[in-house]
Amino acid sequence: MIDNSKKKAAIGFIFITLLIDITGWGIIIPVVPKLIEELIHSDISEAAKYGGWLGFAYAFTQFIFSPVVGNLSDKYGRRPIILISLFGFAVDYIFLALAPSIGWLFLGRVIAGLTGASFTTASAYIADISTDEDRAKNFGLIGAAFGLGFIIGPVIGGLLGHYGARVPFYAAAGLCLLNFLYGYFILPESLDKDKRRPFDWKRANPIGSFRFLGKHPEISGLIVALILIYIAGHAVQSNWNFFTMYKFDWTERMVGISLGVIGLLIGLVQGVLIRWTTPKLGEQKSIYYGLIFYALGLLLFAFASQGWMMFVFLIPYCLGGICGPALQSVITKNVPSNEQGELQGALTSLMSATSIIGPPMMTNLFYFFTHDKAPFKFSGAPFFLAFILMTISVIIVYSAFKRKAKEQIGN
């Protein structure tokens, strides 16, 4: 077992690991469109289509292999899996930096998907070394690392992109290799040998999680709404850099700054505003207002005509963030306490599955309405589709709450 001083150092390392992971991912986002353009010798519209399928390749591989990697960490310990993951990301970024053709980008993303289970394994590591008193605080570090990394990464990537589309990839690879070396010499193992278990293929099945959701029809409406929210989110996550470069001729630097602003606003909403809105509004109103803010932001993005408008319209869009935690809280209250772990696993699988669908759907839609033979030009089409999905999710949530209220009156 790890003693207290080593435990603090280990938690610090896990935080730095996740921060570097997200920073490395954020660094490459502003330059991906230009690198794809360079490799396919075409325009930003065509590049977006490839960008979506690259997102699909990563998400699909990760969806299939995350449960496998999680089970391997239960057998061999967390440390080797975290180190392999960091090394895999470094290899991925080097592949992307040196890529002579678009095929290399796909190979790099598949390697990252195979090894990229650092979040899953880091969560298990935190669970191993946490007590009941500090568990929530330690898990809060995951959210903090994600938020901070998504502010720092795109800004650094945007600035480095000025020196060439491949420079940020070398920077991301260097960060991951440094992190790997630091972990190799510093990080202790968190899972004692007597607590390990044999590898079980049945437990390493990504589809198994969905069966759990089928056992709880009382939350089916809310789960469908959550799926639509996740897919709609890819209009921003997978499409922002392509859209802003196409519509407003933004540079990598400008894309990086805008993504940093998104990260900052999300951090303020999730870390500060929610502490005030949820007690004041209650969970149901937080969900309604959040979904309406999301829908409004997406509709405004779809018809933005000037670059500065995107920064203004980020305010209602990011205010939509009050919806997610409230919706998850309502879902968890409908599931028994001894099934909460299984529920969280199922929700994570669900999020991964929407990351397979969302990127190609949104970027192909962008391509359809921006390429030379488009029926008419409408670069905001992905945002408009996302607005429709958010509106449908409001109706579904309203119906689910109404049905629940009727059942309670009946009882």
Side-chain angles (χ1 to χ4, degrees):
M1 197 64 194
I2 304 174
D3 63 46
N4 279 339
S5 62
K6 283 188 176 175
K7 198 180 278 189
K8 278 185 182 172
I11 288 168
F13 174 80
I14 290 295
F15 175 76
I16 291 164
T17 297
L18 295 175
L19 179 61
I20 289 175
D21 235 14
I22 296 299
T23 302
W25 181 58
I27 280 174
I28 68 169
I29 294 172
V31 290
V32 164
K34 295 290 182 195
L35 181 60
I36 297 172
E37 273 188 81
E38 190 184 299
L39 292 173
I40 63 169
H41 310 293
S42 190
D43 59 9
I44 196 93
S45 178
E46 187 85 20
K49 193 167 63 168
Y50 282 95
W53 288 114
L54 283 167
F56 168 87
Y58 174 73
F60 182 75
T61 316
Q62 193 171 43
F63 175 71
I64 298 297
F65 286 95
S66 262
V68 175
V69 171
N71 274 266
L72 285 171
S73 82
D74 283 342
K75 181 178 180 180
Y76 296 108
R78 318 296 183 207
R79 185 177 182 272
I81 303 302
I82 287 171
L83 293 177
I84 290 166
S85 175
L86 289 170
F87 192 74
F89 265 118
V91 170
D92 165 42
Y93 293 136
I94 291 166
F95 259 87
L96 300 181
L98 297 171
S101 68
I102 194 74
W104 278 55
L105 292 194
F106 280 96
L107 183 58
R109 291 281 75 192
V110 167
I111 292 169
L114 282 168
T115 60
S118 49
F119 263 77
T120 312
T121 316
S123 300
Y125 192 105
I126 288 171
D128 293 338
I129 63 174
S130 298
T131 60
D132 288 342
E133 291 78 43
D134 61 12
R135 195 176 303 274
K137 184 182 77 178
N138 290 345
F139 272 112
L141 288 174
I142 295 178
F146 193 94
L148 197 56
F150 204 76
I151 295 166
I152 299 166
V155 175
I156 295 173
L159 294 170
L160 290 176
H162 177 68
Y163 301 101
R166 294 170 189 260
V167 173
F169 294 94
Y170 287 114
L175 276 176
C176 281
L177 284 172
L178 279 174
N179 208 10
F180 168 78
L181 291 171
Y182 175 47
Y184 184 80
F185 291 109
I186 305 287
L187 186 69
E189 179 53 69
S190 65
L191 188 67
D192 296 338
K193 286 190 173 163
D194 59 332
K195 289 184 179 169
R196 296 181 192 182
R197 63 174 179 81
F199 183 83
D200 181 359
W201 279 108
K202 284 181 188 168
R203 292 170 90 164
N205 172 11
I207 309 300
S209 300
F210 296 121
R211 291 196 194 113
F212 169 79
L213 295 174
K215 287 189 231 163
H216 290 278
E218 69 277 14
I219 56 169
S220 60
L222 300 177
I223 294 294
V224 171
L226 202 59
I227 291 169
L228 295 179
I229 292 164
Y230 284 151
I231 293 173
H234 279 282
V236 175
Q237 290 168 35
S238 305
N239 190 54
W240 182 270
N241 46 3
F242 297 102
F243 172 79
T244 52
M245 284 179 167
Y246 173 88
K247 179 90 176 176
F248 310 116
D249 208 22
W250 279 7
T251 60
E252 294 93 331
R253 181 171 167 271
M254 199 64 185
V255 170
I257 290 167
S258 69
L259 290 169
V261 170
I262 293 175
L264 184 62
L265 288 173
I266 289 171
L268 288 171
V269 170
Q270 300 276 354
V272 181
L273 192 65
I274 279 175
R275 294 166 191 261
W276 179 81
T277 54
T278 308
K280 283 269 185 192
L281 297 173
E283 285 169 345
Q284 284 198 24
K285 278 188 181 173
S286 292
I287 293 166
Y288 287 136
Y289 287 144
L291 289 174
I292 289 163
F293 276 128
Y294 268 147
L296 176 62
L298 289 161
L299 185 63
L300 291 169
F301 288 153
F303 295 100
S305 56
Q306 301 285 327
W308 62 265
M309 291 179 179
M310 298 301 282
F311 285 94
V312 176
F313 299 160
L314 276 174
I315 296 167
Y317 178 76
C318 291
L319 281 172
I322 65 171
C323 156
L327 185 55
Q328 287 207 347
S329 176
V330 171
I331 290 168
T332 56
K333 284 176 184 172
N334 282 281
V335 172
S337 58
N338 64 349
E339 293 181 14
Q340 288 295 327
E342 208 172 345
L343 170 66
Q344 292 308 318
L347 292 177
T348 304
S349 293
L350 204 64
M351 198 170 175
S352 301
T354 59
S355 296
I356 296 168
I357 301 161
M361 179 192 284
M362 294 303 177
T363 55
N364 275 279
L365 188 62
F366 174 79
Y367 167 75
F368 183 78
F369 283 104
T370 55
H371 74 99
D372 293 339
K373 293 177 183 173
F376 60 91
K377 293 288 170 89
F378 181 31
S379 56
F383 296 121
F384 192 72
L385 172 62
F387 159 74
I388 293 167
L389 295 177
M390 286 292 182
T391 307
I392 294 168
S393 69
V394 174
I395 297 162
I396 291 169
V397 166
Y398 176 75
S399 303
F401 284 145
K402 206 170 180 185
R403 191 167 61 247
K404 178 95 175 164
K406 274 184 185 172
E407 283 169 12
Q408 285 172 341
I409 293 164
N411 292 333

